[in-house]
Every structure is written in structure tokens, then in C-alpha cells.
Amino acid sequence: MESGEGLQSRRDFLRKLGLGAGFLIAGGQFGFTWFFDEKEGKLKAIVVDFSKCTGCRTCETVCAGFHAPRAAGSSVAAPVNPYQARIRVHHFNPDADVPQVCAHCADAPCIEACPVDPDPVTGRKALYRDPVTGSPVNDTDACIGCRSCARACKELRTGTIRPNPVTRMPEGICDLCGGEPRCVQVCPFGALQLADAGDAGHLAGLSPEKIAQVLMETYYSPQ
Amino acid sequence: MAETMPGYYGRLLDVNLSTGTIVKTTLDPQWLQDYIGGRGLGAKILYERLKNPGTEAFSPENILLFMPGPFSGLPLPSSSRTCVVTKSPRTSPKSGSYHGASTISYSNIGGFFGPELRFAGYDGLAITGRSDKPVYLYIKDETVEIRDASEYWGLGTDALETRLIADLGSDGFRSCYIGPAAEKMVPLASVLNTAARAAGRGGTGAVMGSKRLKAICVSGSGIPNVADPVKFNELLETVRSSFAQDTPSRRWWREGGTTNALEESSAGGTMAVKNYSEGSFGEVSRIGTAAARKEIWKRDFACYCCFLACKKSGMAKGAYGGVVHDGPEYETGSMLGSNLLIADLAGLNRCIAVADDLGLDIISAGNIIGFLMEAYDKKLIDRDFLDGIDLTWGNVEAVLAMLRKMGANEGVGIRANQGVRSLAREIGQGSEAFAIHVKGHELAGWNVHKAVDWFGISYSTANRGACHMNGGAPGPQNQSALRDSLGICSFVDEWYVNDSAFEKILTAITGREWSGASLELAGERIYNLEKMFNYREGFRREDDCLPERFFSEAGKQGPAAGIKVDRARFEQMLDDYYIARGWDLKTSKPGPEKLAALGITDF
Ligand code: SF4
Ligand code: SF4
Ligand code: SF4
């Protein structure tokens, strides 16, 4: 390849990933339908307005800070590494930044995949839906660290579950900060919203790679 | 290990590519206290380790330092910067006794790399030696490996960025790298990250290429300890809420960033136009913010924790469309645009994309091509000299052809890559007068005729050779050295004032009491140490000069029409500057009282 001619066109890029423009229509909804949670009505989730996100990673730092352990007697956590956040901003080239965050999927394949028998009293597996926020929550006493949930999420949805490298138990699932999402409050560009999970439309629950595809297709078209 | 100051790890990652040795060196806490980090700490390390003047920039002994600062990686808005510090392959003194004499070089880069280096547990990275085959450096916390890079060698920065994301993931590793130009040790080669953000100036990439180091890929899971988390969080809230205000200044950055300065500078007569012969560009609106928003930009991008997002990316339409890139911003837009009389926005954007892909310093590249255009226009050189390229003003195809020659380091590109000073020596015939450099380093996109008070001093006295970011007086120069040392962006001073001033934040981070005055003193110390490095190499007052053009010729257009710089006045300004600095009027050496006050030991 001659020097200086290595710049990729959009088409090359799409070809490399084996996706074409038809992808959007074909892959959009996965064939599942959104349904109402029996108790709380519609499931809520952090929904990203990708046209506003600049990839600054402020959301990561705020989320990581909010969930960080406090020293005894202190209400404030020392700064923590942004990778401890439950939202993670992926960067791609050509320029596209995609915050990855639990979509609070109505059919929750992560919970589906959990092989632990439901508790006879609560009916909960080791991964179960929090009745208030709708977030998948891990019962660390029941969890066997098999990583089935992480695999299901990665294969079918956002891939937000990161098993703890030591305990192997699932981490990285957005809990909506218990109902008052900090990332939404602090995002400098107003790119995050607490909305009905279905509001993310055809991008709901997709992996960062797939969302990046769609964004590149949208932003970078020579026409 | 000595007690480390909070806010730092007190560790420098030392990698020798000749021997393959990897050492985590303990940093003297006094160095951190005196030189802060980033550019300052880099200068201190270079000053102490490269004591022999005349060490060749491309020799294995030269040290290439990647230096974040104590702010880098903490969630402070715009705490994204890293300073790349090394001995310059671009500069040399007018006289002096050392063949390889050159200035210090430092070039600042945003993005996400510096914060990641701190997450991995290091206050800096020092590369020495030279590998015998292409390698890249893999850093994951304590794991540091020198890995084979033969598959990456030869790739342009755009393809390399995509490749590294594919190989290392889109959310963990942050990388800095060089393009094909640096592999060939083209002196004006840059270091880049995210395929567009560049530590462009002063040949940092060329030094990286001379070490056969293609890329540095870092991932870290830690963060530095902060002395007073309660106070730190309070300050963080304060600074975030001041950034949260929708002010005209914030809008200026978000809407256009430095691209806005293209039209503003042209209107003020301070723009580099037609190889600095003019200060205004009649067609500037064709490459300005409104045009770029309409025709190219799709998205705004931010560096780590930044509220401004001044990087604008998109894709042009038409014959030069089809590639995704950012810009034009002020420097790329002036140096490859107005300076070459290019007003074709898509063509300009393509030139920028190609130069970044090759990994060339766009400021120097645009300056050099402008010089050659003028020499060709004046018939001092013919088409043969240019390998057949018809290098006329405004000719996008010819500029692309030149950039490719330069990136490949072949034919006319080899001569062009030595810079305008060397070209003028070769071409002669009075061309020295319009070779626009100081100390061998080309000037940036700001013209001097009408702005000598600021840019005359900024360019002539800068420690890396001509530099537009240097500042036009001692105070601002110290301040900019300080910012580059803290690891904070140059554009956010106005948000870090009063209750959230730098000294308050550094106090909360380090637990040492900092005041505005003690920080200013640290900035002055850093600036003077760089100056001492240069003095040791043989740079004297005669090297603090300006190109002849500004004294002897005036432009015809705009507010700068008819204005020349008065030579006696410039020399007087320089006198005043040295006096204010406490430097010797004849030699420019920092005086003994000044050195004593700053705690710098003379060599
Ligand atoms: S804080 Fe907002 S703009 Fe920044 S990366 Fe997160 S979502 Fe995007
Ligand atoms: S995004 Fe993943 S973790 Fe969240 S509900 Fe869906 S499958 Fe479960
Ligand atoms: S809502 Fe809370 S838990 Fe979820 S991503 Fe935002 S900050 Fe993190």
C-alpha cells in the first residue's frame, strides 16, 4: 500500500466487518418484543443520544466515583479508575464513540442464562431483576461464578457484564444509581437520559461494535 | 523506596530498546516538587541524563519521554494532556562547537493516552536505545513487554489506529504511535493518537522512529492516590459546575474551536498567508467554521473529561471526499490552507488527512511547502528541482504530491524534510529572507508583522525553536510551561480560577501547600531549566531572532498592509525581555541570581 493512501473509505470499513447498509433493517429488533414489567410499568434504562456524545468519558468517572467504596466515616470516595464504572465508552476509528451500558432488556437473556435454581421463596436465581430499578442484580451468595450471564449478554446484547477476574461474579451492570442516575446529571453534552428502555429504538441492546457500525454509516457518507 | 508524594506514583517507566531492559525507576520526590510533572519533569530528566552537549537526536542515547502530569487521569475537566519531551532533531545554533547541538523539544498531545499511563501506575515513560527490528511497547499495569511490530510497520496512522483497536479492543488500551514518515526518520515527523491528535512539533515522532518504536499501547487499572479526597471532590464539583455554564466562551469552543480563529485572525491581519507575505486571506470564509460545519463536520469529539470538545470530524463531499478526518482547525487550516492559498475546503481536508496519515508535523510541512511555492513562483527553482511537481499557489494536487514525497522521504521530499533553513542554504539567491523559521524550527500559523509584541517574542525566545504556544512575555510563558507540566489543556485557564484555581487543586492532590506565587515560580523554574539545556548546547542571543521577511517586507492586504517590524524596536523588546527574565543581555544566559533563586545548579 502506498504511503498516505491507507485512509479507509467507509465502504472498506463496512466490508471488513462483513456488514452492509442492509444491516440496519435486518438486524434491528432481534425479533423480541418489549413488554411491560408487571409492577413498575415500562422498564427504564440509560438511553444514549449518540448525536451528542463526544466520547469524553466523564460519565465513566462519575459512575465509578458514585459506586466506589467510602472510607470509614467518610461520605466521599477517593478518585477511582474509570473502568470500574458500569458505563464504558468505546472508541472506534473512523471516529465514533459508543457508551456501553445495560439496556435493561425486557427479556433479560442474562437472567435467562443463569443456571442456578430459583429460590423457592423469592423465586430469584443468582441473577434476578431488581423490583424497583429493573436492573439485573447478582446474589453473590447464590452465584457460582459460571459466567453464563456474561456470555449471554455478550453474544446477544450489549456485553456490559464483566465478570470479576477473581470471584468470576458478574459486575458492570447499571443499577440506575438506585433511581437517580448520576451520569445523566453530569454528562457535559446532555447525551444521556433516563428513558423507557424501548426508546433506544433500533439501537437498543446492541453491542458497541454494531452501534459503531450504524453510526459510521450515518455520519460518514459521502453523499 | 522513599515516601512518595500523594498524587504521584513516584515511578518512571524506563525502557531501553537496545538492551531490552525495563526498569521502574523511583523518582526523587524533590524533582516532583520542583518540576511538577509533564513538561517540567521531562525537562529535568533530560537535563540530568543528557549532560553531554551535542548528543545526536537520532542516537540511541537520546531519551524520548512521555510525560503526563499530576492532573492527568484524575476526573478534572480537560486533564488529558501528555507532553512528549526529547532532544530535538529540528534545531541547531548559528554558531557553536557541537555537531549534534540542538534544543530541547516538547510537544503536547491530548486524547486519552496520558491518563491511561497514569492508570497503569507511572508518572512518565522514558525510552532510550534503539531496537534492531520494529517493535511496539505493550503496557498493562505492571506487565511491560517489548513486542514485535513488523505487522504494524509501514502502516499509516489511520489504518494503524483501526488495527490496534481490532487487536487490543475498543475500551481498554490507549495508544500513541508514528506513521511511515517517522519510520524513515523524517525530521518533522510527529507522534499521534486517535489517528488525528498529534504531538506534532519538534520532531518527536522522528526520534521515536529512530528507536524503531512504532507504537506504545497502555492499559491501566489504577489511579493515583489523592492527599485530600474531600477537598478534591469539592473542587471537582466547583470546576464542573463552572464548566456547566453555557457561556459565550464555551460556545466558541464547542461551535468551532480554534477553527473560529481562522476568520478572526485573518480579519486582524495576523494570519500566515502566502508564506507569511500577507496577514489576511480574502477567501478565508471558504475554509472557516460555517463552511466546515456545513460541508464536512458531523460530530464533535472531546479529550478525556473535557467539556469543550473542540475536535470536529466528518467527511467531505466530492472528488476529495470519502475519507473521515477532523479539521481544519487553526493550525492545519492556516498552514495547509491560507499559507498555500488553498481555499478548496475538501482539498484542504484531504491534505490534512494525508499529512496526519503519514505522520508529518503539519505546521512545518505547510511552512516548507509555502517556502518552495514561493521559490518556484520566483523562479529560483525549476520543476526539475521539484521532481516535476508543478508547485503553484493553491494547487491541491501538487501539495498532495509534495506531502507524499515528504512522507516517503524520497526525491525532493528528502531535501524538503530538512526544513526551510536547509532548503534556503541550498537554493540561495536571497531565499533566506523568506525562510520562515527560528533556530531551524518553522513558524506556525500566526504572522508576525502586525503582532510582533506577542508573537515576535513568542517565536524568537521559545525553548523548542519557533513556537506559537510559548507566550509573548515571561509571565504567560511560565504559565504555559506550568500547564504543560500539570497535564491540563492550554485552553481551559478561564475555568480554573478563583475557588478552583490550579494551586488549590494541586494542594488537594499532593497535600503540599501551593500558592499562586509558588506555582508561578515553578513555571519559571521549568522555563529556565529548558533555557539552560539549550545554553549548554550552545544557543546564544543571536539564535533568538526572527526571519528577515518581517523586517524588510510588508504585505499589501488587510490590517497588516504596509507594516514592517522595526529591527531596533525588536532588539529593544528582546533587551526588555532578558532584563525581565534576569538573563544576560549579551549571551542570554540566565544570571547567577536567577539560577540561585530558582534552585537550578549551573552545569
Ligand atoms: S459523559 Fe456524555 S458525552 Fe461524555 S462520553 Fe459519557 S455520554 Fe458521551
Ligand atoms: S444488557 Fe446485558 S446485562 Fe443488561 S439486561 Fe440485557 S442482557 Fe442483561
Ligand atoms: S445510571 Fe448510575 S449506575 Fe447506571 S451508568 Fe449511570 S452512573 Fe452508572
Side-chain angles (χ1 to χ4, degrees), chain A residues 48 52-60 87 89 99 187-189 191-192:
Chain A
V48 185
K52 290 185 178 157
C53 174
T54 66
C56 71
R57 301 178 66 196
T58 302
C59 50
E60 290 184 5
I87 185 166
V89 184
C187 169
F189 300 92
L192 301 175

Side-chain angles (χ1 to χ4, degrees), chain B residues 123-141:
Chain B
D123 297 313
L125 165 65
I127 314 276
T128 49
R130 172 189 293 148
S131 170
D132 46 25
K133 58 177 179 27
V135 290
Y136 75 100
L137 196 60
Y138 174 97
I139 305 170
K140 191 166 171 54
D141 294 318

Side-chain angles (χ1 to χ4, degrees), chain A residues 5 8 53 56 81 90 95, chain B residues 162 170 222 299 311 313 404:
Chain A
E5 304 302 337
Q8 302 168 68
C53 174
C56 71
N81 187 288
H90 290 248
D95 282 320
Chain B
T162 306
S170 53
R299 305 274 293 100
K311 176 178 188 266
S313 294
R404 288 180 185 124

Side-chain angles (χ1 to χ4, degrees), chain A:
Chain A
M1 193 187 300
E2 198 198 320
S3 295
E5 304 302 337
L7 301 163
Q8 302 168 68
S9 74
R10 179 185 58 101
R11 297 250 160 253
D12 290 343
F13 191 85
L14 292 176
R15 201 162 43 234
K16 260 179 242 154
L17 279 140
L19 293 168
F23 160 74
L24 239 178
I25 303 133
Q29 292 284 353
F30 295 107
F32 66 83
T33 43
W34 298 103
F35 62 85
F36 288 88
D37 182 276
E38 312 85 40
K39 296 193 202 83
E40 298 295 321
K42 270 200 171 167
L43 284 164
K44 298 277 183 187
I46 299 302
V47 172
V48 185
D49 181 344
F50 292 100
S51 71
K52 290 185 178 157
C53 174
T54 66
C56 71
R57 301 178 66 196
T58 302
C59 50
E60 290 184 5
T61 67
V62 176
C63 180
F66 178 73
H67 293 91
R70 269 70 174 149
S74 175
S75 61
V76 170
V80 288
N81 187 288
Y83 294 128
Q84 290 177 29
R86 293 151 189 230
I87 185 166
R88 188 175 277 202
V89 184
H90 290 248
H91 176 73
F92 297 91
N93 186 50
D95 282 320
D97 288 300
V98 182
Q100 172 192 42
V101 61
C102 173
H104 291 165
C105 311
D107 58 346
C110 49
I111 299 176
E112 273 306 295
C114 179
V116 172
D117 287 335
D119 182 287
V121 180
T122 60
R124 288 172 175 172
K125 296 180 171 186
L127 196 67
Y128 63 95
R129 199 185 286 285
D130 182 275
V132 178
T133 60
S135 307
V137 182
N138 185 221
D139 175 351
T140 50
D141 290 331
C143 181
I144 56 171
C146 68
R147 300 191 272 198
S148 302
C149 55
R151 220 172 299 127
C153 179
K154 181 150 182 57
E155 278 165 20
L156 300 169
R157 302 295 153 81
T158 65
T160 190
I161 299 181
R162 290 179 293 279
N164 181 295
V166 180
T167 67
R168 300 162 55 106
M169 293 188 195
E171 291 177 355
I173 305 174
C174 165
D175 65 356
L176 299 176
C177 299
E180 274 183 61
R182 295 298 189 278
C183 57
V184 173
Q185 292 163 8
V186 185
C187 169
F189 300 92
L192 301 175
Q193 266 188 356
L194 177 65
D196 289 342
D199 286 2
H202 62 273
L203 298 179
L206 294 189
S207 70
E209 288 74 19
K210 285 175 183 162
I211 293 175
Q213 274 311 298
V214 176
L215 298 183
M216 287 171 196
E217 179 80 358
T218 314
Y219 302 148
Y220 308 127
S221 120
Q223 291 343 302

